Amino acid sequence: MHRDVTLREVAQLAGVSSRTVSNVVNGYANVTDHTRARVMQAVEELGYRPNVLARNLAQGRSGQIAVVVPYLDTPYFSELLQGIIRAARVQGYNVLVDQTDGDPDHERMLIHHGRSRLLFDGVILSPLGLDQQALADHDPRLPLVVLGERVSQGTFDHVGIDDVTASRQATEHLLDLGRTRLAAIGDQPYPTGEAAQLRTRGFREAHQRRGARVHEDLIVRTPRFNRADGAGAMRHLLDLPEPPDAVFCYSDLVALGAIHALTERGLRVPEDVAVIGYDDIEDGAYANPPVSTVSPDKELIATTAVERVLLRIASRTPPPGMELRAPHRLVLRHSTIGRVASSRPR
Amino acid sequence: MHRDVTLREVAQLAGVSSRTVSNVVNGYANVTDHTRARVMQAVEELGYRPNVLARNLAQGRSGQIAVVVPYLDTPYFSELLQGIIRAARVQGYNVLVDQTDGDPDHERMLIHHGRSRLLFDGVILSPLGLDQQALADHDPRLPLVVLGERVSQGTFDHVGIDDVTASRQATEHLLDLGRTRLAAIGDQPYPTGEAAQLRTRGFREAHQRRGARVHEDLIVRTPRFNRADGAGAMRHLLDLPEPPDAVFCYSDLVALGAIHALTERGLRVPEDVAVIGYDDIEDGAYANPPVSTVSPDKELIATTAVERVLLRIASRTPPPGMELRAPHRLVLRHSTIGRVASSRPR
DNA sequence: CTGAAAGCGCTAACAG
DNA sequence: CTGTTAGCGCTTTCAG
C-alpha cells in the first residue's frame, strides 16, 4: 500500500503553496484562473484526493449528522431516513445511522454527544424511551432536532405534524361513515407515550364534536405500534361482548395487524369493521384491502429536519428551539370506504 | 462554548505523560493499577472524552464502514441494515448509510473510495447498477463485501444464498401443488440482472426435474422488484388468453403487488392463483393472505458481511475473495397452501 | 512501565 | 492574490 498523495505534494508540483491548493480544492474564489488551472492539473496528474480525516480535525467538525430511530425496519422510519439521506447529501453531509430499540440509555447517550466528541456535528432523533424531561437535559452544545410528537423545550427544534387534528379528522371520518362503536388501538398513558396521548385526544375530540360518546373500554393500549401489537389488540377487542364496528389505529402497522386478525376471524373490512391507520406507508396502499390513513408529508419532514440541524450546526449562537409543523392529509381507501373508489394505488 | 478537555490536560492533572493517558483510555494493558486509577480519576474529574477526529487522523482510519443499498425503503434492505448496524456496533464500528437508487455512477464512485479518502474503512455494497465487470474494477485497497447474487471476483467477498436452489424449491412447491401453468415475475435478461437470471434458472430447473414444460410467455420481466412492478406484471398475465394458475415472484414486494392485482380482478389466492415470493419480509407474513416465501437467514448474512469487511480492514494483505452462502428455507403460508396451516405468523 | 517528541494532512490566521 | 506557519488532539516510535 503506497502512501497517498498529500496536499503538499500537489503544491510542490504546481509550484504554489499548500494554502493555495487548499483554496482551489475547496473553491475559495481567491485564486487566479491561471493558478487554478495549474493546481487542477497537478491534482489530476497525481490523482490527489483530500484526506477527510485531516480536514475534519483541522476544522473541528466531522461533516456528519447522526440519524437515530428506534427501529430501522419500521417502514415509516425507513421512508423518512431515505428522505433525510437525500437531503443531507445535497448539503455535503454524510449520515450516520443508529438504531436504539427504544433504549432510554442509548438515546440519552446520543443526546450527550455519544461516547466521544465530534463524531457527528448534529443529531436528528426520533425518541421513544425518553420523555420531555429527559430530552430537555441534552447537551446544549449539540445541535438537536427531534422528530415526532414531542414539544420543543426551547433548546432544540421539533418537526412533526399536528397529531391531535389529524387524529380527530381520522376519527370524524369513521363517525361520518355512520359507525357508532369506535375502538382506538395504541394508547400509551405514560410519560414516554406523548405521541399516543395526542392521538387519543384527537379521538376524543372527534366524538365530542359529533356528539357521540366515547366507549372507554374500546381504547386499547399497546406497548409499540407494530403489527403484532395491532393483531393482539384486535383479537382482544373481538373477544369483547360488544366488539367495535370501526377502529382507529395509531400506525399503519397496527392497522395491518388488526386487519390480519379480523381476516383470521372471518370478518370483512370494512363491511363488518372499518379500519383506518396512520403514517401512510407503502404497505398500506397495497394491502388487501388498501388501508385508509393519515398521510404526513414525509418528504417535507425529512428536508426540514436536515435544514434545521444544519442551520444549528452553522450558527455561532444556538437559535431558539422551534416548533415546525408539516402538513398532513387524510387518504381514504377501501378499508373504510369499501370498493367505491378507484382501487389502483399511486 | 468553552474549549474541550484534551488528553494533555488530563495527563497534567494526573501527573503522567500523555502517552500513559492514551494507554489507559485505550486499554493497552501496560499500566500499573495505581497509575491507571490516578488517570481514571483525572478523566472523571475533567470530564474528558477523546476526540475521535484526532484519533482518526493519527490512526489513519475512520472506524466507520459504509453500507450501500439501492433503496432504503425496501423492507428487505432495511431488515438487513438493522442487522448490520447491530453487528458493527458490537465491534465498535459506526455505520454510514448511503442509498444509490441503483445509479451505476454512484455505485462506481463508492467502490473507488468515495470522493475523499478515509471517510470509511470498508464497504458493504448491494449493487444494482453495476455488473460483474464493473465490480471487479473496484479500488483494490478498499475492503469490499458484496451482497446479493453476484459472484466474487477474487478481490472481494460475496455473501448471499443459493438462489438457483432456493428458486427451484419454490417452483417445485408450486408444481407439487398440482399447478400446471406457472408464471415467473421478475426476470431481467441483461448484465446487471444476474440475481434475476439465477432465479429464472431455478424456475426452469424445477420444471425439468418434475418433467413439466415451461410456459415461456408466462415469464415476465420487470425493471425492479417492487410492488408496482408486481401488480403491473400480474395484470399483464391476467390479460393473456390463458392466464397462469400459480406465480413465482422474485421478491415478496412483487408478490404483494401481484396479490393486489389479483384481488382487484376478483380472483382468489390461492384458489384461483397460488403465489409465492422471495425474501421473507415482515409484510408478507401479515399480508392477506399471508405470503409463502423463500426465507434467507438475514441475521447471518448481516453478521457475516460485517465480519468479513472488518477482517479485510484488519488484514495487512488482502485475503482472497470468498464466496459465502447463508442458508435459506421455504416458508409456506396461505398464499400457496390455503387455510390448512395455522394462520398466526411468528 | 513511562516520558519526550515527532508526526498524521489539512486549515486558517497572519503577513506580504 | 499567495506564501509562511502554527496548530487541530491524538497515537506511536524511540529511549530510558
Side-chain angles (χ1 to χ4, degrees):
Chain A
M1 164 152 170
H2 72 87
R3 268 184 71 294
D4 277 310
V5 183
T6 76
L7 194 76
R8 220 185 302 284
E9 298 176 84
V10 175
Q12 208 146 27
L13 177 60
V16 300
S17 81
S18 61
R19 165 63 196 265
T20 303
V21 178
S22 177
N23 279 344
V24 170
V25 172
N26 296 295
Y28 295 166
N30 312 335
V31 190
T32 324
D33 278 356
H34 176 240
T35 3
R36 179 197 312 288
R38 268 235 306 276
V39 172
M40 293 297 251
Q41 194 195 330
V43 166
E44 278 306 309
E45 209 166 313
L46 269 44
Y48 169 74
R49 312 164 73 198
N51 178 326
V52 244
L53 267 32
R55 169 184 300 174
N56 288 347
L57 175 58
Q59 292 189 149
R61 31 162 253 127
S62 65
Q64 302 188 145
I65 59 176
V67 176
V68 188
V69 299
Y71 307 99
L72 267 170
D73 60 355
T74 300
Y76 179 70
F77 291 128
S78 43
E79 291 180 14
L80 211 51
L81 180 58
Q82 184 161 217
I84 290 175
I85 288 180
R86 283 214 188 90
R89 184 160 54 215
V90 170
Q91 309 289 332
Y93 264 76
N94 285 111
V95 174
L96 220 41
V97 176
D98 205 2
Q99 163 170 341
T100 64
D101 293 302
D103 175 15
D105 292 334
H106 194 145
E107 292 184 359
R108 192 172 296 112
M109 183 196 82
L110 281 158
I111 60 174
H112 288 285
H113 240 134
R115 48 187 76 272
S116 52
R117 281 150 35 209
L118 300 173
L119 182 57
F120 41 81
D121 301 332
V123 176
I124 296 176
L125 169 70
S126 180
L128 190 61
L130 296 184
D131 59 20
Q132 295 293 4
Q133 191 82 36
L135 277 176
D137 181 44
H138 77 108
D139 181 341
R141 294 181 303 170
L142 176 66
L144 175 64
V145 172
V146 171
L147 301 178
E149 303 73 6
R150 311 304 171 91
V151 176
S152 160
Q153 292 291 312
T155 59
F156 57 82
D157 294 322
H158 168 249
V159 184
I161 67 169
D162 182 343
D163 277 271
V164 177
T165 303
S167 302
R168 200 196 68 221
Q169 291 166 340
T171 310
E172 284 172 353
H173 167 59
L174 295 177
L175 289 169
D176 293 346
L177 249 29
R179 309 286 168 145
T180 57
R181 295 186 53 79
L182 303 206
I185 301 182
D187 194 31
Q188 301 175 338
Y190 37 81
T192 57
E194 285 140 342
Q197 290 161 39
L198 294 178
R199 293 175 196 185
T200 303
R201 183 144 105 224
F203 180 74
R204 291 184 189 285
E205 282 186 11
H207 282 77
Q208 206 164 351
R209 291 209 177 191
R210 292 291 187 268
R213 107 176 156 73
V214 175
H215 301 275
E216 294 295 337
D217 57 320
L218 298 184
I219 299 179
V220 187
R221 304 179 186 184
T222 62
R224 289 182 48 184
F225 286 175
N226 59 22
R227 294 183 181 84
D229 285 351
M234 194 69 237
R235 290 186 192 112
H236 160 76
L237 285 168
L238 293 177
D239 288 337
L240 293 178
E242 292 188 89
D245 57 7
V247 190
F248 170 40
C249 298
Y250 291 11
S251 86
D252 280 352
L253 289 184
V254 167
L256 292 171
I259 290 174
H260 183 82
L262 285 163
T263 308
E264 193 177 80
R265 300 281 178 103
L267 293 169
R268 292 163 309 158
V269 179
E271 291 81 352
D272 299 311
V273 181
V275 177
I276 190 167
Y278 207 103
D279 289 344
D280 194 18
I281 62 177
E282 198 180 313
D283 317 67
Y286 278 87
N288 181 16
V291 183
S292 294
T293 191
V294 169
S295 178
D297 188 335
K298 277 174 275 206
E299 201 53 38
L300 187 60
I301 292 175
T303 55
T304 305
V306 169
E307 192 178 281
R308 292 299 301 183
V309 80
L310 294 189
L311 184 146
R312 284 184 168 275
I313 290 170
S315 303
R316 214 79 228 92
T317 64
M322 274 188 66
E323 199 62 49
L324 299 150
R325 284 265 146 71
H328 68 267
R329 62 204 174 82
L330 224 51
V331 174
L332 304 184
R333 302 201 183 99
H334 297 176
S335 72
T336 58
I337 57 178
R339 304 203 154 264
V340 299
S342 156
S343 84
R344 197 167 301 188
R346 291 289 140 109
Chain B
M1 166 149 172
H2 72 85
R3 268 182 71 298
D4 277 310
V5 183
T6 76
L7 193 77
R8 223 188 298 287
E9 298 176 84
V10 175
Q12 207 148 24
L13 177 61
V16 300
S17 82
S18 60
R19 164 63 196 265
T20 303
V21 178
S22 177
N23 279 343
V24 171
V25 171
N26 295 296
Y28 295 166
N30 313 338
V31 191
T32 324
D33 278 357
H34 176 240
T35 3
R36 179 196 312 287
R38 265 233 309 275
V39 171
M40 292 297 251
Q41 195 194 330
V43 166
E44 278 305 310
E45 209 167 311
L46 269 43
Y48 169 74
R49 312 163 74 198
N51 178 326
V52 244
L53 267 32
R55 170 182 299 172
N56 288 347
L57 176 57
Q59 293 188 150
R61 32 162 251 127
S62 66
Q64 302 187 146
I65 58 176
V67 176
V68 188
V69 299
Y71 308 98
L72 267 170
D73 59 356
T74 300
Y76 179 71
F77 291 129
S78 44
E79 291 179 15
L80 211 51
L81 180 58
Q82 185 162 217
I84 290 176
I85 288 181
R86 284 214 185 90
R89 185 160 54 216
V90 170
Q91 310 289 333
Y93 264 75
N94 285 110
V95 174
L96 219 42
V97 176
D98 205 2
Q99 165 172 338
T100 63
D101 294 301
D103 176 15
D105 291 333
H106 193 146
E107 293 183 359
R108 190 171 297 114
M109 183 196 79
L110 281 157
I111 61 173
H112 288 285
H113 241 136
R115 47 187 76 270
S116 53
R117 279 149 38 208
L118 300 172
L119 182 57
F120 41 82
D121 302 331
V123 176
I124 296 177
L125 169 70
S126 180
L128 190 60
L130 296 185
D131 59 22
Q132 296 293 6
Q133 190 82 34
L135 277 176
D137 180 45
H138 77 108
D139 180 340
R141 294 183 303 170
L142 176 67
L144 174 64
V145 172
V146 170
L147 301 179
E149 302 75 5
R150 311 305 172 92
V151 176
S152 161
Q153 292 292 313
T155 59
F156 57 82
D157 293 322
H158 167 248
V159 184
I161 67 170
D162 182 344
D163 276 271
V164 177
T165 303
S167 302
R168 199 196 68 221
Q169 291 165 341
T171 309
E172 284 172 352
H173 167 60
L174 295 177
L175 289 170
D176 292 344
L177 250 30
R179 309 286 168 147
T180 57
R181 294 187 55 80
L182 304 205
I185 302 182
D187 193 33
Q188 300 175 336
Y190 37 82
T192 58
E194 285 139 344
Q197 290 161 39
L198 294 178
R199 294 176 195 184
T200 302
R201 183 145 103 221
F203 180 75
R204 292 185 189 284
E205 282 188 10
H207 282 77
Q208 206 163 351
R209 290 209 180 194
R210 292 291 187 270
R213 104 175 160 75
V214 175
H215 300 275
E216 295 295 338
D217 56 321
L218 298 184
I219 299 179
V220 187
R221 306 179 185 185
T222 63
R224 291 182 47 186
F225 286 175
N226 60 21
R227 292 183 181 85
D229 284 350
M234 193 69 235
R235 289 185 194 113
H236 160 74
L237 285 168
L238 294 177
D239 288 337
L240 293 179
E242 292 187 89
D245 56 8
V247 190
F248 170 40
C249 299
Y250 291 10
S251 86
D252 279 353
L253 289 183
V254 167
L256 291 172
I259 291 174
H260 183 81
L262 285 163
T263 308
E264 195 179 79
R265 299 282 178 102
L267 294 169
R268 293 162 309 157
V269 178
E271 291 82 352
D272 298 312
V273 181
V275 177
I276 189 165
Y278 208 103
D279 288 346
D280 193 18
I281 62 177
E282 197 179 315
D283 317 66
Y286 278 88
N288 181 14
V291 182
S292 294
T293 191
V294 169
S295 177
D297 188 337
K298 278 175 272 205
E299 202 54 37
L300 187 61
I301 292 175
T303 55
T304 304
V306 169
E307 192 178 280
R308 292 298 301 184
V309 80
L310 294 189
L311 184 147
R312 283 182 168 277
I313 291 170
S315 304
R316 225 69 238 87
T317 63
M322 274 187 66
E323 199 60 48
L324 299 149
R325 282 266 145 71
H328 68 267
R329 62 204 173 81
L330 224 52
V331 173
L332 304 184
R333 303 202 184 98
H334 297 176
S335 72
T336 57
I337 58 179
R339 306 206 152 262
V340 298
S342 156
S343 87
R344 197 167 299 188
R346 292 288 138 113

